[in-house]
Amino acid sequence: MKRIFFCFLVAALVSGIIACATPGRLSFIPGTYRGTALGYGAGLTVEVSVDSGRILEVRVVEHTETIDLPLVALAFERIPQAIVSGQTLAVDRVAGATFTSFAITQAATDALMQSGVNMTALQQQRRARGAARRANVNITTDVVVIGAGGAGLSAAMSARQNGARVIVLEKMPMAGGNTVLVGESFNSVNPELQSQHPMNPAHHAAIQALINAPPYSAFETELQETVRGQLADHVAQNRPGLFDSVEWHMLQTYVGGDRVGKPEFIRIMAEEVVNTRHWMTENGMQWSTDPNIHIRIFTVAGGLWPRANRPAMPLGTGFIDMGVRYIQRHSDQITLKLDTRATELIVQGGRVTGVRATGPNTNYTITATRGVILATGGFGANREMRERYNKHWPSLLHAHTTNHPGAVGDGIVMAERVGANLIDMEWIQLLHAGDPRTGTLTGVLSADPAEHLMVNNNGYRFVDENARRDDMVSALLQQPDSMMWMVVDSRVFPDPHNTRTVFGATVMELIEADRAYSAATIEELAVMMGVPPENLRRSVDEFNAGVAAGVDRFGRRAWRDRIDQPPFYASLRVPTIHHTMGGVQIDTQTRVINTQGQVIPGLFAAGEVAGGLHGANRLGGNALADIHVFGRIAGASAAGNR
Ligand code: ADP
């Protein structure tokens, strides 16, 4: 089940792309040639088959690229296809996977140089294609959605269900944005699953800490009182399993965001997310049916409570699959335009009436009779914006990011140009568990902090592994080289060849790619990690003592099991930029607010592009809740805005 999405792409890679192109004036010595190039991982090898007049097939036969990243997988599909169909080496890179695209093209070049073909002629095909004229196209629809991540697709579905014709613009070659890369964690109270999840003293302690904290506002007092009463009922009535409630979700979100998030948005997210989850299910979303309850409802790192609902498909692919399939089923009313970048909002008489966009060979002017929805995501991949707004971290100029390359704040810039107010822009979220080479989360050994140990480069523990994300990153930044190791044992990978991380890899694949180490003893593992064995031994012993005691010196209270079942595994992790909490100011109907505090008619925003919900720190698992709840509201608001 885990890899269905990628299998399609990998199948294209393995079977290769068979020629159906018209022969040009090229001349080859027929045969199959091999070429190599340096990829993002290590070497990459391509085989190219030719007959006397054309390129028949291009196949990547060996590589160590991160195929579990969708855009990399897309490069494996598109670049060979483009070389064959265009009979050229001058193919466009896949945005978001430029390095891999370049490596495949280079290896194909290397192969074709052995075929006796005139390489200049292969490049000349480019000029003929490049000469194509750009068309100017005017379109009128009811609602334009900019961005096909989770917020945009939900907005499109909801706008259509509220009677609108919709055009979705997506600048990248595929739908997905950051949403497709998320770690399978959709926060929503779910009594059916949570009643089967055990509740232990650590859970009680976490609730007591928040309901007895000095309240900061009337909102917090109200939530504390409600949760106190609900918990008393839960205990008095001997209800099975884990306590949870909409108000407890709200209280954790509010306090977890340092009370910066706006109560009205927190309330809407927590109240609406349960209905929205059902709405998504009705519209094709599939959730995990794993018999292990800890898989289906879990605490994602920085999520602080077991309320992360896990989808059936890997990463965020299930959310995107739901939206794209919905659009396919309703293609008479919703059009998705890929590779089409919105560049400007059109304003007439103080109202946003449309969008200008550039697509393949086409300039669009699109009139939106009811509204334009910004669902363009955040700016985590925009160095300049990060540097401009960051106030709370050391310089982030050279930091890695988990974000897809399109997360550069286009929507924020477009909205600002038409007078939108921006809020909470200085709050930028980092994660502690990025890949040291790419910053992505792929290669992480465990997404559930209840089951892993973290040590620094000296083998010492340094933080509660279940803490808030900002607290873990702050602690990590104090460690030597700001690096850490995540350590687990064989309980996390009962079958090292088949048990997969949430990012789709087996631990054996990670070890083969030098992204993880494995050893039969803690001491041997320490040697491989380059940390003093006695220090790692002490940290593991301390961890295991914490499991027995229930709490440790860092205040950690959530434990799954001891770490004592060989083989042991470790992978190196670094801080990485993950989410931008700030953005365009909206009201509770997702209408964009200008710098004078007034609604900008015709303009709506939802998802990471909007600020105000998460405050100073977003809880893990709340992004998927946010984007679907507010995306759905935005679709309805815009459709009803006649
Ligand atoms: P969210 O979680 O808020 O839905 P995502 O990052 O998942 O955010 O999705 C945002 C999408 O918007 C991405 O797919 C991104 O490529 C797209 N996008 C960003 N800017 C533009 C733009 N100017 N035109 C079209 N699409 C855009």
Side-chain angles (χ1 to χ4, degrees):
M1 223 26 225
K2 275 273 181 201
R3 307 202 102 188
I4 287 174
F5 176 75
F6 301 120
C7 284
F8 163 73
L9 298 168
V10 174
L13 152 75
V14 172
S15 61
I17 307 297
I18 307 296
C20 54
T22 49
R25 278 176 289 140
L26 302 170
S27 158
F28 304 87
I29 303 164
T32 296
Y33 302 94
R34 276 191 157 222
T36 57
L38 191 63
Y40 200 86
L44 180 147
T45 304
V46 160
E47 264 181 15
V48 183
S49 299
V50 295
D51 68 11
S52 59
R54 57 185 187 152
I55 303 168
L56 299 174
E57 187 179 8
V58 175
R59 299 192 308 148
V60 182
V61 288
E62 281 169 22
H63 72 91
T64 55
E65 305 299 280
T66 313
I67 195 86
D68 47 357
L69 293 179
L71 285 168
V72 172
L74 195 67
F76 274 88
E77 184 194 358
R78 279 206 179 172
I79 301 294
Q81 199 170 40
I83 293 172
V84 174
S85 63
Q87 294 291 295
T88 180
L89 286 164
V91 294
D92 291 331
R93 315 266 184 264
V94 170
T98 46
F99 207 92
T100 303
S101 306
F102 184 68
I104 298 171
T105 314
Q106 280 291 97
T109 306
D110 187 32
L112 283 162
M113 280 169 72
Q114 304 158 50
S115 73
V117 70
N118 178 341
M119 297 301 283
T120 313
L122 273 185
Q123 299 292 344
Q124 277 172 352
Q125 305 276 353
R126 174 68 160 191
R127 274 180 224 139
R129 290 191 313 129
R133 282 256 192 85
R134 293 186 69 78
N136 291 318
V137 171
N138 296 328
I139 311 175
T140 298
T141 189
D142 297 324
V143 171
V144 174
V145 178
I146 309 177
L153 294 174
S154 286
M157 288 162 57
S158 151
R160 185 247 153 213
Q161 288 167 1
N162 284 279
R165 293 166 303 151
V166 185
I167 292 177
V168 184
L169 305 176
E170 170 54 57
K171 69 177 175 181
M172 303 299 277
M174 64 191 292
N178 277 345
T179 305
V180 85
L181 303 172
V182 298
E184 306 183 0
S185 48
F186 179 96
N187 277 353
S188 160
V189 175
N190 186 334
E192 188 197 329
L193 296 185
Q194 288 171 319
S195 64
Q196 301 168 54
H197 191 290
M199 178 145 177
N200 59 37
H203 295 122
H204 280 284
I207 300 178
Q208 293 304 328
L210 256 59
I211 60 179
N212 294 320
Y216 175 83
S217 62
F219 178 61
E220 190 168 350
T221 307
E222 173 206 319
L223 293 176
Q224 287 177 326
E225 282 168 11
T226 307
V227 172
R228 194 173 291 119
Q230 291 169 334
L231 181 65
D233 280 356
H234 184 88
V235 173
Q237 295 179 18
N238 224 352
R239 292 216 187 97
L242 183 78
F243 167 80
D244 202 1
S245 73
V246 164
E247 288 75 14
W248 176 227
H249 188 183
M250 282 191 222
L251 185 58
Q252 286 193 297
T253 302
Y254 182 60
V255 178
D258 284 338
R259 302 166 172 94
V260 175
K262 295 215 178 332
E264 61 268 32
F265 294 121
I266 294 173
R267 188 181 294 281
I268 289 174
M269 181 194 70
E271 283 181 353
E272 290 300 320
V273 71
V274 180
N275 284 338
T276 299
R277 180 163 52 79
H278 295 314
W279 171 75
M280 292 161 71
T281 308
E282 282 158 21
N283 284 293
M285 181 67 204
Q286 292 178 344
W287 304 96
S288 170
T289 53
D290 195 296
N292 180 352
I293 204 69
H294 288 295
I295 300 281
R296 292 169 70 187
I297 194 98
F298 69 107
T299 309
V300 66
L304 309 182
W305 202 252
R307 72 166 73 83
N309 294 251
R310 192 186 297 272
M313 290 175 72
L315 308 184
T317 53
F319 301 97
I320 301 304
D321 185 70
M322 166 190 71
V324 170
R325 281 182 198 274
Y326 185 92
I327 290 175
Q328 286 165 351
R329 288 199 300 278
H330 300 283
S331 55
D332 52 332
Q333 285 142 316
I334 314 181
T335 306
L336 170 60
K337 289 188 178 296
L338 297 175
D339 287 314
T340 304
R341 177 166 182 257
T343 53
E344 187 187 347
L345 298 170
I346 302 169
V347 181
Q348 285 173 335
R351 180 189 167 95
V352 172
T353 56
V355 178
R356 274 187 248 286
T358 54
N361 299 325
T362 311
N363 298 325
Y364 294 101
T365 302
I366 309 176
T367 302
T369 57
R370 301 194 202 173
V372 174
I373 301 173
L374 295 169
T376 43
F379 60 93
N382 185 324
R383 286 171 197 271
E384 188 277 320
M385 280 181 82
R386 277 169 6 201
E387 213 49 16
R388 181 162 11 129
Y389 293 111
N390 170 33
K391 284 191 195 155
H392 303 284
W393 300 107
S395 170
L396 298 175
L397 198 58
H398 301 295
H400 282 308
T401 178
T402 61
N403 284 201
H404 83 116
V408 290
D410 288 3
I412 293 172
V413 173
M414 282 188 280
E416 214 182 359
R417 281 200 199 117
V418 300
N421 194 39
L422 307 183
I423 57 168
D424 295 347
M425 292 295 284
E426 75 267 31
W427 297 111
I428 297 175
Q429 180 166 70
L430 278 74
L431 290 185
H432 56 294
D435 182 282
R437 203 175 44 191
T438 62
T440 64
L441 295 179
T442 65
V444 84
L445 292 178
S446 147
D448 186 344
E451 63 189 11
H452 62 244
L453 160 70
M454 294 171 357
V455 296
N456 68 16
N457 255 340
N458 291 327
Y460 293 127
R461 294 184 64 213
F462 58 94
V463 73
D464 170 7
E465 289 84 346
N466 295 265
R468 283 168 38 156
R469 291 173 164 184
D470 51 352
D471 290 341
M472 289 192 282
V473 173
S474 297
L476 177 55
L477 289 171
Q478 309 298 318
Q479 307 310 308
D481 300 327
S482 300
M483 288 181 165
M484 65 162 220
W485 295 88
M486 186 176 281
V487 179
V488 298
D489 71 4
S490 65
R491 287 187 180 89
V492 175
F493 294 102
D495 178 350
H497 289 278
N498 289 304
T499 313
R500 296 190 180 278
T501 70
V502 292
F503 294 95
T506 67
V507 74
M508 291 314 291
E509 286 167 350
L510 295 176
I511 290 167
E512 276 159 27
D514 272 342
R515 298 170 77 192
Y517 296 119
S518 159
T521 67
I522 290 294
E523 287 74 11
E524 283 165 12
L525 187 69
V527 171
M528 298 177 92
M529 293 156 61
V531 311
E534 63 280 12
N535 294 357
L536 185 62
R537 176 80 266 165
R538 198 174 312 134
S539 294
V540 171
D541 289 347
E542 185 195 332
F543 179 96
N544 290 339
V547 178
V551 64
D552 70 0
R553 67 191 164 104
F554 297 104
R556 174 168 171 158
R557 290 177 178 275
W559 314 89
R560 179 73 42 74
D561 275 307
R562 293 166 57 85
I563 293 182
D564 60 2
Q565 298 284 308
F568 302 98
Y569 302 102
S571 83
L572 190 61
R573 315 310 296 170
V574 299
T576 183
I577 294 163
H578 188 52
H579 189 94
T580 46
M581 270 76 75
V584 173
Q585 186 179 354
I586 55 173
D587 68 8
T588 54
Q589 295 170 54
T590 73
R591 298 179 300 182
V592 174
I593 305 299
N594 71 15
T595 49
Q596 273 80 51
Q598 294 149 347
V599 166
I600 301 177
L603 187 60
F604 303 80
E608 198 176 342
V609 69
L613 167 64
H614 303 290
N617 171 61
R618 177 178 65 75
L619 294 195
N622 270 359
L624 286 169
D626 164 13
I627 62 178
H628 291 97
V629 165
F630 286 95
R632 185 182 179 202
I633 294 172
S637 293
N641 179 47
R642 290 162 197 265

